[in-house]
């Protein structure tokens, strides 16, 4: 089972082995199942088991990133083991609003990350791989603690820290350099004239400044106004 998570530095497997040679040796346990355990310790006098055990073996215990017991089960199968690991990874983080960490008050049917999103006005999108889950429209920022990508600044308010977000979605910032300037203006013109034919979904979203699902002269005017720090109300004008 540990092979499924061998590329994840935040998941560790530990086998606590008691009663050596009854009937298997440590080496034999290490070679079973395929590839063996990632790490085995000799649980002398069953000290580790006694902290979590309920009198039955084998027993699987899941500890989260705060070293709290997430779950425990006798004779757990591969699906039970992997699904609980994925649940822990999804909730491995902190909910942050203006530098304040929000306590995890999620229900049993909701992850901490999902709670962080929807409790504060966002919509949480879930996928089969929890690493692909994301939030839109929340006042809170999810800071992952079990990812190589972390941060506390969420410029576009989509629940992903800027360091983890490959599409910052700041309207007008088509090239995602955190500035709205003439380079973005040129990019929008190229999209309208079909000079750029392979624009990403992120570029198209950032080019549609008035959110009318059409990229046209109005968006060009809005970018120019942003650069010049001028505002215009298109409700007063009709541009065909």
């Amino acid at each position: 089972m540990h092979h499924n998570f061998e590329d994840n530095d935040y998941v560790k497997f530990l086998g606590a082995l008691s009663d050596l040679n009854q009937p298997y040796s440590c080496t034999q346990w290490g070679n079973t199942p395929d590839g063996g355990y990632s790490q085995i310790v000799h649980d002398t006098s069953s000290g580790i088991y006694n902290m979590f055990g309920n009198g039955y073996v084998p027993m699987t215990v899941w500890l989260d990133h705060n070293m709290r017991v997430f779950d425990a089960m006798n004779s757990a199968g591969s699906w039970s083991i992997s699904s609980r690991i994925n649940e822990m990874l999804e909730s491995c983080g902190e909910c942050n609003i203006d530098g304040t960490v929000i306590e995890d008050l999620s229900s049993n049917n909701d992850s901490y990350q999902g709670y962080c999103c929807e409790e504060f006005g966002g919509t949480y999108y879930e996928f089969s791989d929890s690493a692909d889950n994301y939030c839109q429209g929340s006042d809170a920022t999810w800071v992952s603690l079990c990812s190589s990508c972390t941060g506390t600044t969420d410029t576009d308010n989509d629940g992903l820290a800027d360091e983890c977000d490959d599409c910052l979605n700041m309207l007008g910032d088509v090239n995602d350099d955190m500035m709205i300037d003439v380079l973005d203006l040129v990019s929008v013109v190229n999209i309208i004239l079909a000079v750029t034919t392979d624009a990403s979904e992120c570029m198209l979203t950032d080019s549609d400044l008035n959110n009318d699902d059409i990229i046209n002269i109005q968006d060009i005017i809005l970018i120019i106004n942003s650069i010049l720090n001028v505002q215009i109300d298109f409700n007063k004008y009709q541009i065909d």
Side-chain angles (χ1 to χ4, degrees), residues 102-164:
I102 306 301
E103 183 182 358
D104 180 7
L105 298 178
S106 59
S107 66
N108 291 333
N109 297 322
D110 194 12
S111 67
Y112 183 20
Q113 185 176 356
Y115 166 81
C116 179
C117 174
E118 296 185 337
E119 182 69 15
F120 301 98
T123 301
Y124 189 54
Y125 297 90
E126 299 183 72
F127 300 88
S128 56
D129 185 349
S130 61
D132 295 330
N133 294 358
Y134 70 95
C135 173
Q136 283 187 338
S138 177
D139 292 331
T141 300
W142 176 253
V143 181
S144 175
L145 300 178
C146 292
S147 169
S148 57
C149 178
T150 60
T152 58
T153 302
D154 181 17
T155 304
D156 60 356
N157 195 35
D158 66 351
L160 292 175
D162 288 354
E163 294 87 344
C164 314

Side-chain angles (χ1 to χ4, degrees), residues 7 37-38 74 112 152 185 211 227:
D7 294 329
Y37 281 96
S38 57
N74 292 111
Y112 183 20
T152 58
L185 177 61
N211 292 309
I227 296 172

Side-chain angles (χ1 to χ4, degrees), residues 160-208:
L160 292 175
D162 288 354
E163 294 87 344
C164 314
D165 197 346
D166 58 3
C167 181
L168 290 177
N169 287 331
M170 185 169 74
L171 291 179
D173 182 21
V174 183
N175 61 0
D176 273 338
D177 63 355
M178 300 307 298
M179 295 185 295
I180 300 177
D181 53 24
V182 68
L183 295 178
D184 301 299
L185 177 61
V186 172
S187 295
V188 174
V189 171
N190 286 339
I191 290 174
I192 294 174
L193 298 179
V195 174
T196 300
T197 58
D198 58 349
S200 67
E201 188 67 29
C202 184
M203 292 178 64
L204 295 176
T205 299
D206 292 345
S207 298
D208 184 18

Side-chain angles (χ1 to χ4, degrees), residues 62 70-71 73 79-88:
W62 292 262
F70 179 81
D71 203 352
M73 180 184 299
W79 183 88
S80 296
I81 294 174
S82 61
S83 65
R84 282 160 176 76
I85 291 174
N86 286 323
E87 288 174 15
M88 288 193 296

